[in-house]
Amino acid sequence: MVQKALFVCLGNICRSPIADAIFQHLLKERGIADQWEVDSAGIGGWHAGNRPDSRARNVLKKYNIEYNGRARQIEDEDFHEFDYIFGMDENNISNLQDQAPIGSKAKILLLGDYDPQGERIIRDPYYDRGSEGFEVCYQQCLRSCKAFLDQLEQ
Ligand code: 4NP
């Protein structure tokens, strides 16, 4: 059975593409990519059609992780389609909970709740002047995605 995961942040050009790319990479490493459908989306649609922020692309390149996704805005249909919808911060979660249609199946989860180091909030690095925040975001997403998959495999 195919499981479906959607990673969501505010703009879909920084945090959620990083999480999406890492998750897909981990699935390939574990040989289970054919058991999953994975995507990302933004609460807002301001960047729809755009590639991720160059700093997000650079951190993925640094770790040899491929990503060809383009930004899109989340739609009501996604809540029926996906099994898991991960938000990056508390605002994402409350926006997702507000938008979720009654009776939709998606479990809305805070990705950082899976972080073994307990860093629950994946802070938005978009307005940072530098790229250090993207490295932090990468490491947080990596730890949480690994732990989420480990927990499913148990
Ligand atoms: P993200 O960062 O939610 O991690 O993709 C943002 C990117 C763009 C905007 C906000 C957050 N924006 O307002 O344009």
Side-chain angles (χ1 to χ4, degrees):
M1 198 189 69
V2 171
Q3 302 192 78
K4 300 184 184 183
L6 181 68
F7 294 89
V8 173
C9 61
L10 186 55
N12 193 208
I13 55 167
C14 298
R15 294 166 292 173
S16 61
I18 289 174
D20 179 2
I22 288 173
F23 195 79
Q24 295 200 51
H25 183 79
L26 292 172
L27 293 175
K28 282 185 203 147
E29 273 186 355
R30 295 177 186 215
I32 54 173
D34 59 343
Q35 296 170 30
W36 285 86
E37 281 181 31
V38 185
D39 197 6
S40 65
I43 297 293
W46 315 286
H47 299 279
N50 292 350
R51 299 173 73 198
D53 184 282
S54 59
R55 296 165 295 176
R57 296 207 306 271
N58 285 341
V59 78
L60 291 173
K61 209 181 293 168
K62 175 178 168 188
Y63 292 104
N64 278 317
I65 295 182
E66 202 187 329
Y67 189 72
N68 296 313
R70 299 265 174 174
R72 72 173 178 91
Q73 187 170 20
I74 191 166
E75 298 168 359
D76 288 354
E77 187 57 32
D78 290 318
F79 293 87
H80 296 292
E81 184 66 22
F82 287 89
D83 300 292
Y84 304 101
I85 299 182
F86 293 100
M88 304 293 140
D89 61 29
E90 307 276 17
N91 281 334
N92 299 159
I93 296 296
S94 61
N95 288 327
L96 290 167
Q97 286 169 344
D98 287 348
Q99 189 175 345
I102 289 166
S104 58
K105 75 170 172 186
K107 282 193 188 125
I108 296 170
L109 301 169
L110 186 67
L111 181 59
D113 271 338
Y114 292 91
D115 185 351
Q117 292 188 18
E119 288 179 25
R120 295 179 67 240
I121 304 303
I122 301 178
R123 187 187 64 83
D124 185 357
Y126 179 62
Y127 294 103
D128 293 2
R129 298 191 72 175
S131 59
E132 293 83 0
F134 287 77
E135 176 72 32
V136 173
C137 170
Y138 177 92
Q139 298 297 345
Q140 285 182 282
C141 290
L142 180 61
R143 290 196 302 270
S144 290
C145 287
K146 276 184 176 168
F148 172 74
L149 284 172
D150 288 349
Q151 161 242 234
L152 284 187
E153 282 172 4
Q154 274 164 16

